[in-house]
Amino acid sequence: MTNLRDLSYKELEEVIISYGEKKFRSSQIWDWLTKGVSSYDEMLNVPLSLKEKLKEEYFLCGLETVKKLESKIDGTKKYLFRLYDGNMVETVVMYYKHGITVCISSQVGCAMGCKFCASTIGGLVRSLTPGEILEQVIYAQKDIGERISNIVMMGIGEPLANLGNVKKFLEIVNFEKGLNIGYRHISLSTCGIVPGIYELAKLKLPITLSISLHATTNESRSSIMPVNNTYKIEELIEACRHYQKECSRRISFEYAIIKGVNDTLKDADNLLKILKGIMCHVNVIPVNNVEENSFEKPDPKKIKDFCSHLESHGITATVRRELGSDINASCGQLRKNNL
């Protein structure tokens, strides 16, 4: 059976018409789905006969909140959601002056193996469907009782390794009769799946592409990011230049700065050479603590000097604000099971 939330509005409408029902029933059902109902019984204005027909082909159960943590520092909220098959993912809600952002997962676990990231511990279990990705936004929004205005696909998993489902999710979440979250308010992060970047470029969506670069030489990058053994920095940057040419969007480069690994001014110089000619922004992320590794943050002055060096040579660089650090909700700390 298929998750009812995996359907686009057009697909839902086609199903309803095939049942001999009026089109307006699609709008009623869609409204309930957007509100976060977990069963057909909650659809009070939908005829029982129609709900019974839908039950035969489409399941509807939503997400179960297994655990919810709230930061005492900044109000960041982290959810451990159980999916219909018992697998779990984590989702984070963050508060900014410009609105509320949700960081969502695209897979259960991750196959990419980045050494500094907890999400990849235990490997990949499976990819999420469009509806399961969407439900994270819906259920987080329902819980906080406020509109979520921004989405970052930077949670568990590699979005470009699940591009088919991610593309459909983007269509559904942007749909004006649903959550209506604009593409310009959505960021998608990849560790560097080069073919996926070319495929994403074909869509010409005005989303923000974020590249997890994290090193400036192939030797250094391969030591912490196995994906670099398949797609070297040169191939990745060429794909980024193509993406920018096709989409005319500034690219964000994420740089997890690690003591003794990638934190020197020479690394900053290498980064300047790599990014030359690309309209971009560098997000410098002091590496976050993960029990299974020994990576440490550099001295704050060293981080400041690194950013200042980039800035003085024309590349905008900021140190990412650390949110939810007291509940392990920061970058690289999400897991598929945190019980």
Side-chain angles (χ1 to χ4, degrees), residues 156-318:
I156 301 168
E158 166 54 59
L160 295 189
N162 186 24
L163 187 52
N165 287 330
V166 166
K167 286 193 310 188
K168 191 169 185 183
F169 157 74
L170 291 172
E171 174 194 347
I172 296 172
V173 80
N174 176 250
F175 185 59
E176 60 184 8
K177 290 186 178 181
L179 296 183
N180 193 26
I181 297 177
Y183 288 129
R184 295 181 185 277
H185 296 275
I186 300 174
S187 295
L188 182 150
S189 178
T190 175
C191 69
I193 307 295
V194 168
I197 294 173
Y198 283 105
E199 285 299 310
L200 192 63
K202 292 178 183 178
L203 302 178
K204 298 184 185 296
L205 298 176
I207 63 173
T208 296
L209 176 64
S210 294
I211 303 294
S212 294
L213 189 58
H214 305 319
T216 61
T217 68
N218 283 316
E219 181 181 7
S220 177
R221 193 166 191 263
S222 294
S223 71
I224 57 174
M225 299 182 72
V227 67
N228 201 75
N229 293 315
T230 303
Y231 306 112
K232 302 297 184 187
I233 291 176
E234 295 78 11
E235 296 174 78
L236 174 57
I237 296 302
E238 184 179 346
C240 289
R241 292 185 189 280
H242 172 80
Y243 180 88
Q244 191 156 85
K245 180 181 178 182
E246 293 296 307
C247 301
S248 300
R249 295 282 292 166
R250 185 176 76 162
I251 295 175
S252 178
F253 286 90
E254 298 163 353
Y255 194 90
I257 192 164
I258 307 169
K259 182 179 180 180
V261 176
N262 60 0
D263 60 346
T264 67
L265 290 184
K266 184 179 179 180
D267 287 309
D269 279 329
N270 288 339
L271 192 54
L272 287 168
K273 293 174 185 175
I274 290 169
L275 302 182
K276 185 177 180 180
I278 299 178
M279 181 174 61
C280 66
H281 170 260
V282 175
N283 256 319
V284 177
I285 309 165
V287 70
N288 289 301
N289 177 61
V290 173
E291 290 180 10
E292 290 83 354
N293 68 52
S294 58
F295 293 134
E296 297 178 13
K297 293 178 173 67
D299 180 87
K301 184 179 183 304
K302 200 162 191 177
I303 297 172
K304 183 180 178 181
D305 289 345
F306 189 97
C307 291
S308 295
H309 193 70
L310 295 179
E311 290 273 356
S312 67
H313 289 78
I315 289 186
T316 304
T318 55

Side-chain angles (χ1 to χ4, degrees), residues 92-105:
V92 179
V93 170
M94 300 164 286
Y95 296 85
Y96 295 94
K97 291 180 180 178
H98 60 267
I100 301 174
T101 296
V102 63
C103 177
I104 58 175
S105 300

Side-chain angles (χ1 to χ4, degrees), residues 124-158:
L124 175 69
V125 177
R126 68 171 177 85
S127 290
L128 299 184
T129 69
E132 289 173 324
I133 302 173
L134 179 71
E135 283 169 342
Q136 295 171 70
V137 185
I138 290 173
Y139 279 75
Q141 182 169 272
K142 183 180 180 181
D143 180 73
I144 65 174
E146 297 179 78
R147 173 174 164 73
I148 287 174
S149 55
N150 304 283
I151 297 172
V152 291
M153 301 197 74
M154 297 180 182
I156 301 168
E158 166 54 59

Side-chain angles (χ1 to χ4, degrees), residues 7-9 12 26-34 177-178:
L7 301 183
S8 67
Y9 185 84
L12 177 61
S26 306
S27 182
Q28 289 178 325
I29 294 169
W30 191 264
D31 185 52
W32 286 114
L33 294 176
T34 302
K177 290 186 178 181

Side-chain angles (χ1 to χ4, degrees), residues 67-131:
K67 183 190 292 187
K68 174 187 172 184
L69 299 175
E70 183 169 344
S71 171
K72 295 179 180 178
I73 300 172
D74 49 50
T76 295
K77 296 176 178 62
K78 184 173 75 167
Y79 301 87
L80 180 65
F81 286 129
R82 180 179 282 118
L83 307 169
Y84 77 94
D85 62 356
N87 279 303
M88 290 183 272
V89 294
E90 289 193 315
T91 304
V92 179
V93 170
M94 300 164 286
Y95 296 85
Y96 295 94
K97 291 180 180 178
H98 60 267
I100 301 174
T101 296
V102 63
C103 177
I104 58 175
S105 300
S106 57
Q107 296 181 306
V108 179
C110 183
M112 296 298 105
C114 298
K115 304 300 183 185
F116 49 83
C117 184
S119 298
T120 196
I121 295 169
L124 175 69
V125 177
R126 68 171 177 85
S127 290
L128 299 184
T129 69

